[in-house]
Amino acid sequence: MVTPIASRYPKTYAHWQRDPEGFWREAAEAITWFEKPKTVFDAKAGVYGRWFPDGVMNTCYNAVDRHAEGGRGDQVAFAYDSPVTRTKRNITYKELQREVSAFGAILRDFGIEKGDRVVIYMPMIPEALVAMLACARIGAVHSVVFGGFAPKELATRLNDAKPKLLLTASCGIEVQRVIAYKPLIDAAIEMAESKPEAVILFQRPQAQAEMKKGWDWDWATLREEALKANKTSECVPVKATDPLYILYTSGTTGIPKGVVRDNGGHAVALKWSMENMYGIKEGEVWWTSSDIGWVVGHSYIVYAPLFHGCTSVVFEGKPVGTPDAGAFWRVASEHGAVCLFTAPTAFRAIKKEDPEGKFVKNYDLSKFRALFLAGERADPDTIKWAENILKVPVIDHWWQTETGWTIVGNPAGLGLLPVKHGSPTVPMPGYDVQIVDDGGKPVANGTMGNIVVKLPLPPACLPTLWQQDGKFKDAYLAEFPGYYKTADAGYKDDDGYLYIMGRTDDIINVAGHRLSTGGMEEVLASHSDIAECAVIGVADQLKGELPVGFVVLKAGVNKPHDTIEKELVALVREKIGPVAAFKTAMVVARLPKTRSGKIVRGTMKKIADRQPWNMPATIDDPVTLDEISVALKSKGMAG
Ligand code: COA
Ligand code: AMP
């Protein structure tokens, strides 16, 4: 039995349980409102209720102006550190205010008004963060698309968000290559039914993009002119319930889901999390190594650290190869970061190159207090390794794009609870997390089931999907009435600790990136030689999971199998993007199915993962599973 003696967690969680509205009313005091909310929660509004419905505020004001004008003007807001370009640049809160205000004015000149959408397809450079904050400043809704996605994925998002403007840069920089963005942008716009009215492009010296006159606008020129003319923009008052951004995330089909984040609840919950979940004091140096294309980047590179008046390190590099496996320690030590937040896969990559953690010894990490991991299951081996080399608490926490902040974690600020490897610990205030069977009945402790959260979800969680209340209800609320379905499976132990074991849908997690195998299947099925297919996520030591595709050819196709397999790998890269990390396709004579025709992907995965498996009682032909084994072995995989 674990007894959390010193932690204030039990008291805090009990406070929330007793008086949820009082709890969030108090938390809301920590942000600046133009009009303080009189109502904390309106259960009748929206799909399941809305937070702070009559509150008026501005996210950018809380992130930037409040600090620029409130004594932090000369403190660094963003510390940009880019080993891939050998550049470093510090931007103070005062400078950030000037940049964001000017860029807001530029957006205004392009006709962007409150509620208009702006898509941002950019690498990890300060301009991208300025653009996000400028949108927030004028009440526009940004939608950031990760640079590793292909034009088709960008086009799908353009069609859904219908932005007036697209913001981009001439290139992204990976360890070994420069990726020109302009051809990708042009292809996406060509494909999209809903085209933006203009493109603003930031030219980087590593690749110059050719500009189309009257359509593409040069970022640096616009900025220079705006600053010279002293152009500024005001922080527009928005309702707490107005959307701040849309972030697309993989669903069960090739069509991603547009997760909506509102302004007020987001600021309240994220501000609360910095002190209580992460144990960060205002003004400290905080570092999240992720990308602004993901929710972790939105919440903990851009918004939360700024709400808290911190310095946020913006890292354009990788844990290995930029230039070596000591990059994380170099950055943490040079900037004096007190914490690092990243995905476990980054640590597996470092461990692989520097198993003894020799690089750590070269750096002064005396200020470094804790490592936070999220985005995928943190395997106990990696946690132990990190604890051992860093000698600080390593804290796993579980959340999703949909929630925007921790569902289950170990609250450093309230006092850490004893760590149990393999568990992200306990629910944060706001979340009543339960484990239920497929019929919605609670299961006993220790029993695996569906992880659900009792409605209402706390502030910052998605109120709906972009202009799709129906889809939101169907995808998340319909299966377990009164609860939000996380689509994760797991169990609770007798101390109330949660264990998150994997998804209940066809989402896989590749290097901390969330991807849909259904989406990949749609791409494989579009190949003219393919009759049917199945994609599964196979366990991988570095990336957690890797997608593997099995395809059945149409009758009469007699092309060599390896030619088709290569075409399929190229097709997924072309249609979804390199981020899918789809490198293995194999032709099989048929797919293993139940008698009712359902492909037994779960059993196929167990075979590929060398896990014990039982013959499904309803299997149509047991030999088909042997054939999967043989196919895997022919590719040097398990089976
Ligand atoms: N733009 C274009 N391409 C990109 C990209 C971007 N922003 N990000 C990744 N890619 C490409 C990579 O170059 C790679 O291409 P390749 O197939 O030609 O090698 C491919 O997409 C897969 O990328 P990734 O899965 O990141 O693999 P990697 O081998 O480049 O790096 C890790 C592996 C573990 C070092 C890396 O994934 C990492 O640092 N992960 C940290 C996790 C993280 O930030 N998660 C975000 C949520 S917290
Ligand atoms: P994303 O929306 O990209 O953040 O991915 C969310 C999914 O990643 C969750 O539904 C989980 O499946 C997985 N995930 C995130 N964090 C954790 C964690 N700490 N432990 C286990 N799985 C996690």
Side-chain angles (χ1 to χ4, degrees), residues 499-543:
Y499 294 77
I500 318 298
M501 304 310 289
R503 298 280 305 192
T504 57
D505 55 12
D506 65 0
I507 300 290
I508 57 171
N509 206 309
V510 181
H513 308 139
R514 175 168 158 179
L515 297 161
S516 161
T517 54
M520 293 185 217
E521 287 179 4
E522 284 175 26
V523 174
L524 298 185
S526 71
H527 188 288
S528 57
D529 295 336
I530 303 305
E532 58 177 343
C533 64
V535 174
I536 57 170
V538 175
D540 178 74
Q541 284 231 314
L542 176 65
K543 296 198 177 183

mmCIF file of all heavy atoms in Angstrom, residues 499-543:
data_model
loop_
_atom_site.group_PDB
_atom_site.id
_atom_site.type_symbol
_atom_site.label_atom_id
_atom_site.label_comp_id
_atom_site.label_asym_id
_atom_site.label_seq_id
_atom_site.Cartn_x
_atom_site.Cartn_y
_atom_site.Cartn_z
ATOM 1 N N TYR A 499 -2.930 2.509 -15.153
ATOM 2 C CA TYR A 499 -1.956 1.922 -16.077
ATOM 3 C C TYR A 499 -2.579 2.003 -17.463
ATOM 4 O O TYR A 499 -3.674 1.483 -17.670
ATOM 5 C CB TYR A 499 -1.658 0.460 -15.692
ATOM 6 C CG TYR A 499 -0.951 0.373 -14.352
ATOM 7 C CD1 TYR A 499 -1.663 0.544 -13.161
ATOM 8 C CD2 TYR A 499 0.429 0.172 -14.289
ATOM 9 C CE1 TYR A 499 -1.013 0.508 -11.932
ATOM 10 C CE2 TYR A 499 1.091 0.134 -13.064
ATOM 11 C CZ TYR A 499 0.361 0.307 -11.892
ATOM 12 O OH TYR A 499 1.005 0.292 -10.681
ATOM 13 N N ILE A 500 -1.890 2.693 -18.381
ATOM 14 C CA ILE A 500 -2.441 2.898 -19.724
ATOM 15 C C ILE A 500 -1.746 1.898 -20.647
ATOM 16 O O ILE A 500 -0.534 1.987 -20.840
ATOM 17 C CB ILE A 500 -2.173 4.343 -20.230
ATOM 18 C CG1 ILE A 500 -2.393 5.377 -19.121
ATOM 19 C CG2 ILE A 500 -2.972 4.654 -21.490
ATOM 20 C CD1 ILE A 500 -3.769 5.467 -18.547
ATOM 21 N N MET A 501 -2.491 0.971 -21.203
ATOM 22 C CA MET A 501 -1.842 -0.137 -21.898
ATOM 23 C C MET A 501 -1.894 -0.045 -23.433
ATOM 24 O O MET A 501 -1.136 -0.712 -24.107
ATOM 25 C CB MET A 501 -2.437 -1.469 -21.446
ATOM 26 C CG MET A 501 -2.372 -1.681 -19.933
ATOM 27 S SD MET A 501 -0.738 -1.385 -19.196
ATOM 28 C CE MET A 501 0.184 -2.787 -19.801
ATOM 29 N N GLY A 502 -2.800 0.740 -23.986
ATOM 30 C CA GLY A 502 -2.839 0.829 -25.454
ATOM 31 C C GLY A 502 -4.197 1.288 -25.917
ATOM 32 O O GLY A 502 -5.120 1.448 -25.125
ATOM 33 N N ARG A 503 -4.318 1.503 -27.207
ATOM 34 C CA ARG A 503 -5.554 2.037 -27.761
ATOM 35 C C ARG A 503 -6.569 0.926 -28.015
ATOM 36 O O ARG A 503 -6.211 -0.227 -28.249
ATOM 37 C CB ARG A 503 -5.260 2.738 -29.089
ATOM 38 C CG ARG A 503 -4.324 3.922 -28.990
ATOM 39 C CD ARG A 503 -4.967 5.180 -28.535
ATOM 40 N NE ARG A 503 -6.102 5.593 -29.333
ATOM 41 C CZ ARG A 503 -6.674 6.803 -29.236
ATOM 42 N NH1 ARG A 503 -6.227 7.704 -28.388
ATOM 43 N NH2 ARG A 503 -7.712 7.118 -29.978
ATOM 44 N N THR A 504 -7.838 1.314 -27.977
ATOM 45 C CA THR A 504 -8.890 0.353 -28.301
ATOM 46 C C THR A 504 -9.331 0.518 -29.754
ATOM 47 O O THR A 504 -10.183 -0.207 -30.229
ATOM 48 C CB THR A 504 -10.124 0.551 -27.395
ATOM 49 O OG1 THR A 504 -10.585 1.905 -27.552
ATOM 50 C CG2 THR A 504 -9.801 0.300 -25.934
ATOM 51 N N ASP A 505 -8.764 1.526 -30.438
ATOM 52 C CA ASP A 505 -9.123 1.711 -31.846
ATOM 53 C C ASP A 505 -7.904 1.416 -32.709
ATOM 54 O O ASP A 505 -6.957 0.782 -32.251
ATOM 55 C CB ASP A 505 -9.675 3.124 -32.077
ATOM 56 C CG ASP A 505 -8.691 4.205 -31.594
ATOM 57 O OD1 ASP A 505 -7.520 3.859 -31.303
ATOM 58 O OD2 ASP A 505 -9.094 5.374 -31.510
ATOM 59 N N ASP A 506 -7.900 1.892 -33.941
ATOM 60 C CA ASP A 506 -6.776 1.536 -34.816
ATOM 61 C C ASP A 506 -5.702 2.622 -34.864
ATOM 62 O O ASP A 506 -4.958 2.727 -35.820
ATOM 63 C CB ASP A 506 -7.290 1.198 -36.224
ATOM 64 C CG ASP A 506 -7.915 2.400 -36.900
ATOM 65 O OD1 ASP A 506 -7.944 3.481 -36.274
ATOM 66 O OD2 ASP A 506 -8.359 2.274 -38.048
ATOM 67 N N ILE A 507 -5.644 3.411 -33.798
ATOM 68 C CA ILE A 507 -4.578 4.432 -33.726
ATOM 69 C C ILE A 507 -3.298 3.749 -33.237
ATOM 70 O O ILE A 507 -3.346 2.937 -32.314
ATOM 71 C CB ILE A 507 -4.958 5.539 -32.721
ATOM 72 C CG1 ILE A 507 -6.243 6.237 -33.133
ATOM 73 C CG2 ILE A 507 -3.813 6.525 -32.503
ATOM 74 C CD1 ILE A 507 -6.154 7.096 -34.341
ATOM 75 N N ILE A 508 -2.177 4.103 -33.860
ATOM 76 C CA ILE A 508 -0.898 3.615 -33.341
ATOM 77 C C ILE A 508 -0.017 4.810 -32.996
ATOM 78 O O ILE A 508 -0.279 5.927 -33.432
ATOM 79 C CB ILE A 508 -0.168 2.651 -34.313
ATOM 80 C CG1 ILE A 508 0.073 3.324 -35.675
ATOM 81 C CG2 ILE A 508 -0.955 1.362 -34.458
ATOM 82 C CD1 ILE A 508 0.977 2.514 -36.583
ATOM 83 N N ASN A 509 1.009 4.539 -32.225
ATOM 84 C CA ASN A 509 1.861 5.598 -31.742
ATOM 85 C C ASN A 509 3.288 5.340 -32.214
ATOM 86 O O ASN A 509 3.949 4.423 -31.750
ATOM 87 C CB ASN A 509 1.789 5.588 -30.211
ATOM 88 C CG ASN A 509 2.090 6.946 -29.665
ATOM 89 O OD1 ASN A 509 3.102 7.542 -30.038
ATOM 90 N ND2 ASN A 509 1.225 7.441 -28.801
ATOM 91 N N VAL A 510 3.741 6.128 -33.181
ATOM 92 C CA VAL A 510 5.054 5.899 -33.792
ATOM 93 C C VAL A 510 5.964 7.065 -33.411
ATOM 94 O O VAL A 510 5.718 8.200 -33.822
ATOM 95 C CB VAL A 510 4.919 5.807 -35.336
ATOM 96 C CG1 VAL A 510 6.275 5.548 -35.974
ATOM 97 C CG2 VAL A 510 3.919 4.736 -35.730
ATOM 98 N N ALA A 511 6.970 6.778 -32.615
ATOM 99 C CA ALA A 511 7.894 7.822 -32.127
ATOM 100 C C ALA A 511 7.127 8.975 -31.483
ATOM 101 O O ALA A 511 7.433 10.144 -31.706
ATOM 102 C CB ALA A 511 8.790 8.335 -33.264
ATOM 103 N N GLY A 512 6.093 8.634 -30.694
ATOM 104 C CA GLY A 512 5.313 9.680 -30.021
ATOM 105 C C GLY A 512 4.355 10.401 -30.958
ATOM 106 O O GLY A 512 3.707 11.361 -30.561
ATOM 107 N N HIS A 513 4.285 9.967 -32.210
ATOM 108 C CA HIS A 513 3.369 10.589 -33.160
ATOM 109 C C HIS A 513 2.150 9.696 -33.333
ATOM 110 O O HIS A 513 2.270 8.495 -33.536
ATOM 111 C CB HIS A 513 4.041 10.793 -34.526
ATOM 112 C CG HIS A 513 5.348 11.512 -34.455
ATOM 113 N ND1 HIS A 513 6.440 11.149 -35.203
ATOM 114 C CD2 HIS A 513 5.743 12.562 -33.711
ATOM 115 C CE1 HIS A 513 7.451 11.953 -34.928
ATOM 116 N NE2 HIS A 513 7.055 12.824 -34.019
ATOM 117 N N ARG A 514 0.980 10.330 -33.283
ATOM 118 C CA ARG A 514 -0.261 9.566 -33.338
ATOM 119 C C ARG A 514 -0.703 9.388 -34.789
ATOM 120 O O ARG A 514 -0.876 10.359 -35.514
ATOM 121 C CB ARG A 514 -1.302 10.351 -32.537
ATOM 122 C CG ARG A 514 -2.662 9.801 -32.577
ATOM 123 C CD ARG A 514 -3.459 10.524 -31.517
ATOM 124 N NE ARG A 514 -4.850 10.455 -31.792
ATOM 125 C CZ ARG A 514 -5.781 10.987 -31.014
ATOM 126 N NH1 ARG A 514 -5.439 11.635 -29.930
ATOM 127 N NH2 ARG A 514 -7.046 10.884 -31.321
ATOM 128 N N LEU A 515 -0.880 8.153 -35.201
ATOM 129 C CA LEU A 515 -1.198 7.868 -36.604
ATOM 130 C C LEU A 515 -2.320 6.849 -36.700
ATOM 131 O O LEU A 515 -2.488 6.007 -35.819
ATOM 132 C CB LEU A 515 0.048 7.312 -37.313
ATOM 133 C CG LEU A 515 1.236 8.274 -37.386
ATOM 134 C CD1 LEU A 515 2.515 7.523 -37.664
ATOM 135 C CD2 LEU A 515 0.991 9.333 -38.455
ATOM 136 N N SER A 516 -3.051 6.927 -37.801
ATOM 137 C CA SER A 516 -4.180 6.027 -37.988
ATOM 138 C C SER A 516 -3.806 4.909 -38.956
ATOM 139 O O SER A 516 -3.432 5.178 -40.103
ATOM 140 C CB SER A 516 -5.351 6.832 -38.551
ATOM 141 O OG SER A 516 -6.282 5.985 -39.147
ATOM 142 N N THR A 517 -3.916 3.653 -38.502
ATOM 143 C CA THR A 517 -3.652 2.555 -39.445
ATOM 144 C C THR A 517 -4.776 2.505 -40.482
ATOM 145 O O THR A 517 -4.559 2.104 -41.619
ATOM 146 C CB THR A 517 -3.555 1.189 -38.725
ATOM 147 O OG1 THR A 517 -4.729 0.998 -37.950
ATOM 148 C CG2 THR A 517 -2.326 1.119 -37.847
ATOM 149 N N GLY A 518 -5.982 2.937 -40.085
ATOM 150 C CA GLY A 518 -7.104 3.000 -41.029
ATOM 151 C C GLY A 518 -6.767 3.930 -42.189
ATOM 152 O O GLY A 518 -7.048 3.627 -43.350
ATOM 153 N N GLY A 519 -6.146 5.055 -41.852
ATOM 154 C CA GLY A 519 -5.747 6.013 -42.882
ATOM 155 C C GLY A 519 -4.726 5.399 -43.830
ATOM 156 O O GLY A 519 -4.773 5.608 -45.052
ATOM 157 N N MET A 520 -3.788 4.614 -43.261
ATOM 158 C CA MET A 520 -2.772 3.977 -44.115
ATOM 159 C C MET A 520 -3.419 2.906 -44.987
ATOM 160 O O MET A 520 -3.054 2.727 -46.152
ATOM 161 C CB MET A 520 -1.665 3.360 -43.257
ATOM 162 C CG MET A 520 -0.864 4.426 -42.546
ATOM 163 S SD MET A 520 0.531 3.726 -41.663
ATOM 164 C CE MET A 520 0.545 4.765 -40.221
ATOM 165 N N GLU A 521 -4.392 2.201 -44.424
ATOM 166 C CA GLU A 521 -5.094 1.179 -45.221
ATOM 167 C C GLU A 521 -5.804 1.823 -46.414
ATOM 168 O O GLU A 521 -5.815 1.264 -47.514
ATOM 169 C CB GLU A 521 -6.091 0.407 -44.340
ATOM 170 C CG GLU A 521 -5.388 -0.537 -43.381
ATOM 171 C CD GLU A 521 -6.341 -1.298 -42.475
ATOM 172 O OE1 GLU A 521 -7.574 -1.162 -42.620
ATOM 173 O OE2 GLU A 521 -5.847 -2.046 -41.604
ATOM 174 N N GLU A 522 -6.367 3.010 -46.179
ATOM 175 C CA GLU A 522 -7.042 3.694 -47.298
ATOM 176 C C GLU A 522 -6.046 3.979 -48.422
ATOM 177 O O GLU A 522 -6.382 3.856 -49.595
ATOM 178 C CB GLU A 522 -7.679 4.999 -46.812
ATOM 179 C CG GLU A 522 -8.958 4.764 -46.037
ATOM 180 C CD GLU A 522 -9.535 6.055 -45.445
ATOM 181 O OE1 GLU A 522 -9.282 7.157 -45.987
ATOM 182 O OE2 GLU A 522 -10.236 5.949 -44.419
ATOM 183 N N VAL A 523 -4.831 4.360 -48.045
ATOM 184 C CA VAL A 523 -3.819 4.658 -49.059
ATOM 185 C C VAL A 523 -3.421 3.370 -49.801
ATOM 186 O O VAL A 523 -3.364 3.335 -51.039
ATOM 187 C CB VAL A 523 -2.576 5.325 -48.425
ATOM 188 C CG1 VAL A 523 -1.468 5.490 -49.446
ATOM 189 C CG2 VAL A 523 -2.949 6.673 -47.816
ATOM 190 N N LEU A 524 -3.163 2.291 -49.056
ATOM 191 C CA LEU A 524 -2.763 1.030 -49.705
ATOM 192 C C LEU A 524 -3.865 0.549 -50.649
ATOM 193 O O LEU A 524 -3.602 0.101 -51.771
ATOM 194 C CB LEU A 524 -2.475 -0.055 -48.655
ATOM 195 C CG LEU A 524 -1.329 0.206 -47.674
ATOM 196 C CD1 LEU A 524 -1.102 -1.011 -46.779
ATOM 197 C CD2 LEU A 524 -0.032 0.549 -48.407
ATOM 198 N N ALA A 525 -5.110 0.678 -50.179
ATOM 199 C CA ALA A 525 -6.232 0.184 -50.985
ATOM 200 C C ALA A 525 -6.395 0.985 -52.274
ATOM 201 O O ALA A 525 -6.989 0.494 -53.245
ATOM 202 C CB ALA A 525 -7.512 0.245 -50.163
ATOM 203 N N SER A 526 -5.836 2.217 -52.290
ATOM 204 C CA SER A 526 -5.984 3.036 -53.501
ATOM 205 C C SER A 526 -5.009 2.608 -54.609
ATOM 206 O O SER A 526 -5.102 3.068 -55.743
ATOM 207 C CB SER A 526 -5.756 4.515 -53.158
ATOM 208 O OG SER A 526 -4.373 4.738 -52.886
ATOM 209 N N HIS A 527 -4.059 1.733 -54.295
ATOM 210 C CA HIS A 527 -3.107 1.236 -55.312
ATOM 211 C C HIS A 527 -3.856 0.291 -56.242
ATOM 212 O O HIS A 527 -4.600 -0.587 -55.780
ATOM 213 C CB HIS A 527 -1.959 0.511 -54.584
ATOM 214 C CG HIS A 527 -0.834 0.115 -55.492
ATOM 215 N ND1 HIS A 527 -0.942 -0.914 -56.401
ATOM 216 C CD2 HIS A 527 0.423 0.603 -55.628
ATOM 217 C CE1 HIS A 527 0.203 -1.040 -57.056
ATOM 218 N NE2 HIS A 527 1.057 -0.126 -56.586
ATOM 219 N N SER A 528 -3.629 0.443 -57.525
ATOM 220 C CA SER A 528 -4.471 -0.281 -58.497
ATOM 221 C C SER A 528 -4.298 -1.804 -58.436
ATOM 222 O O SER A 528 -5.154 -2.538 -58.933
ATOM 223 C CB SER A 528 -4.177 0.223 -59.910
ATOM 224 O OG SER A 528 -2.797 0.058 -60.160
ATOM 225 N N ASP A 529 -3.234 -2.301 -57.840
ATOM 226 C CA ASP A 529 -3.023 -3.757 -57.797
ATOM 227 C C ASP A 529 -3.580 -4.409 -56.530
ATOM 228 O O ASP A 529 -3.502 -5.629 -56.374
ATOM 229 C CB ASP A 529 -1.507 -4.078 -57.859
ATOM 230 C CG ASP A 529 -0.911 -3.653 -59.186
ATOM 231 O OD1 ASP A 529 -1.676 -3.569 -60.163
ATOM 232 O OD2 ASP A 529 0.303 -3.383 -59.226
ATOM 233 N N ILE A 530 -4.086 -3.605 -55.612
ATOM 234 C CA ILE A 530 -4.437 -4.150 -54.287
ATOM 235 C C ILE A 530 -5.925 -4.476 -54.186
ATOM 236 O O ILE A 530 -6.784 -3.622 -54.451
ATOM 237 C CB ILE A 530 -4.048 -3.142 -53.172
ATOM 238 C CG1 ILE A 530 -2.558 -2.800 -53.254
ATOM 239 C CG2 ILE A 530 -4.405 -3.678 -51.777
ATOM 240 C CD1 ILE A 530 -1.605 -3.982 -53.208
ATOM 241 N N ALA A 531 -6.210 -5.707 -53.761
ATOM 242 C CA ALA A 531 -7.607 -6.107 -53.556
ATOM 243 C C ALA A 531 -8.040 -5.771 -52.128
ATOM 244 O O ALA A 531 -9.096 -5.197 -51.912
ATOM 245 C CB ALA A 531 -7.759 -7.605 -53.807
ATOM 246 N N GLU A 532 -7.246 -6.157 -51.160
ATOM 247 C CA GLU A 532 -7.550 -5.775 -49.777
ATOM 248 C C GLU A 532 -6.262 -5.725 -48.952
ATOM 249 O O GLU A 532 -5.214 -6.225 -49.374
ATOM 250 C CB GLU A 532 -8.576 -6.710 -49.147
ATOM 251 C CG GLU A 532 -8.181 -8.153 -49.117
ATOM 252 C CD GLU A 532 -9.233 -8.996 -48.406
ATOM 253 O OE1 GLU A 532 -10.077 -8.447 -47.686
ATOM 254 O OE2 GLU A 532 -9.171 -10.224 -48.554
ATOM 255 N N CYS A 533 -6.377 -5.132 -47.783
ATOM 256 C CA CYS A 533 -5.155 -4.910 -47.001
ATOM 257 C C CYS A 533 -5.458 -4.745 -45.523
ATOM 258 O O CYS A 533 -6.609 -4.531 -45.137
ATOM 259 C CB CYS A 533 -4.442 -3.659 -47.509
ATOM 260 S SG CYS A 533 -5.419 -2.184 -47.277
ATOM 261 N N ALA A 534 -4.411 -4.868 -44.708
ATOM 262 C CA ALA A 534 -4.528 -4.590 -43.272
ATOM 263 C C ALA A 534 -3.202 -3.978 -42.821
ATOM 264 O O ALA A 534 -2.130 -4.423 -43.253
ATOM 265 C CB ALA A 534 -4.789 -5.879 -42.496
ATOM 266 N N VAL A 535 -3.286 -2.947 -41.990
ATOM 267 C CA VAL A 535 -2.067 -2.362 -41.425
ATOM 268 C C VAL A 535 -2.141 -2.524 -39.904
ATOM 269 O O VAL A 535 -3.187 -2.261 -39.299
ATOM 270 C CB VAL A 535 -1.936 -0.861 -41.786
ATOM 271 C CG1 VAL A 535 -0.744 -0.228 -41.074
ATOM 272 C CG2 VAL A 535 -1.790 -0.687 -43.295
ATOM 273 N N ILE A 536 -1.050 -2.997 -39.330
ATOM 274 C CA ILE A 536 -1.004 -3.115 -37.867
ATOM 275 C C ILE A 536 0.240 -2.388 -37.340
ATOM 276 O O ILE A 536 1.189 -2.164 -38.090
ATOM 277 C CB ILE A 536 -0.969 -4.604 -37.400
ATOM 278 C CG1 ILE A 536 0.235 -5.343 -38.022
ATOM 279 C CG2 ILE A 536 -2.280 -5.305 -37.706
ATOM 280 C CD1 ILE A 536 0.477 -6.720 -37.435
ATOM 281 N N GLY A 537 0.199 -2.033 -36.066
ATOM 282 C CA GLY A 537 1.368 -1.417 -35.437
ATOM 283 C C GLY A 537 2.162 -2.509 -34.740
ATOM 284 O O GLY A 537 1.652 -3.183 -33.853
ATOM 285 N N VAL A 538 3.403 -2.680 -35.169
ATOM 286 C CA VAL A 538 4.238 -3.741 -34.590
ATOM 287 C C VAL A 538 5.225 -3.106 -33.604
ATOM 288 O O VAL A 538 5.809 -2.051 -33.901
ATOM 289 C CB VAL A 538 4.993 -4.484 -35.725
ATOM 290 C CG1 VAL A 538 5.957 -5.511 -35.156
ATOM 291 C CG2 VAL A 538 3.998 -5.151 -36.660
ATOM 292 N N ALA A 539 5.396 -3.748 -32.454
ATOM 293 C CA ALA A 539 6.269 -3.187 -31.416
ATOM 294 C C ALA A 539 7.676 -2.949 -31.964
ATOM 295 O O ALA A 539 8.229 -3.778 -32.682
ATOM 296 C CB ALA A 539 6.328 -4.147 -30.232
ATOM 297 N N ASP A 540 8.222 -1.775 -31.623
ATOM 298 C CA ASP A 540 9.566 -1.430 -32.070
ATOM 299 C C ASP A 540 10.338 -0.845 -30.890
ATOM 300 O O ASP A 540 9.803 -0.010 -30.157
ATOM 301 C CB ASP A 540 9.491 -0.396 -33.202
ATOM 302 C CG ASP A 540 10.868 0.028 -33.671
ATOM 303 O OD1 ASP A 540 11.530 -0.772 -34.355
ATOM 304 O OD2 ASP A 540 11.305 1.160 -33.334
ATOM 305 N N GLN A 541 11.580 -1.312 -30.756
ATOM 306 C CA GLN A 541 12.388 -0.915 -29.592
ATOM 307 C C GLN A 541 12.636 0.577 -29.503
ATOM 308 O O GLN A 541 12.706 1.138 -28.431
ATOM 309 C CB GLN A 541 13.735 -1.621 -29.671
ATOM 310 C CG GLN A 541 13.656 -3.074 -29.282
ATOM 311 C CD GLN A 541 14.712 -3.392 -28.257
ATOM 312 O OE1 GLN A 541 15.847 -2.985 -28.429
ATOM 313 N NE2 GLN A 541 14.344 -4.106 -27.213
ATOM 314 N N LEU A 542 12.755 1.246 -30.662
ATOM 315 C CA LEU A 542 13.058 2.670 -30.650
ATOM 316 C C LEU A 542 11.784 3.517 -30.682
ATOM 317 O O LEU A 542 11.562 4.380 -29.854
ATOM 318 C CB LEU A 542 13.959 3.013 -31.847
ATOM 319 C CG LEU A 542 14.280 4.497 -32.016
ATOM 320 C CD1 LEU A 542 15.109 5.013 -30.849
ATOM 321 C CD2 LEU A 542 14.997 4.752 -33.331
ATOM 322 N N LYS A 543 10.946 3.236 -31.673
ATOM 323 C CA LYS A 543 9.804 4.130 -31.910
ATOM 324 C C LYS A 543 8.523 3.689 -31.216
ATOM 325 O O LYS A 543 7.480 4.294 -31.409
ATOM 326 C CB LYS A 543 9.563 4.270 -33.410
ATOM 327 C CG LYS A 543 10.735 4.942 -34.112
ATOM 328 C CD LYS A 543 10.394 5.475 -35.470
ATOM 329 C CE LYS A 543 11.591 6.203 -36.069
ATOM 330 N NZ LYS A 543 11.320 6.795 -37.355
#
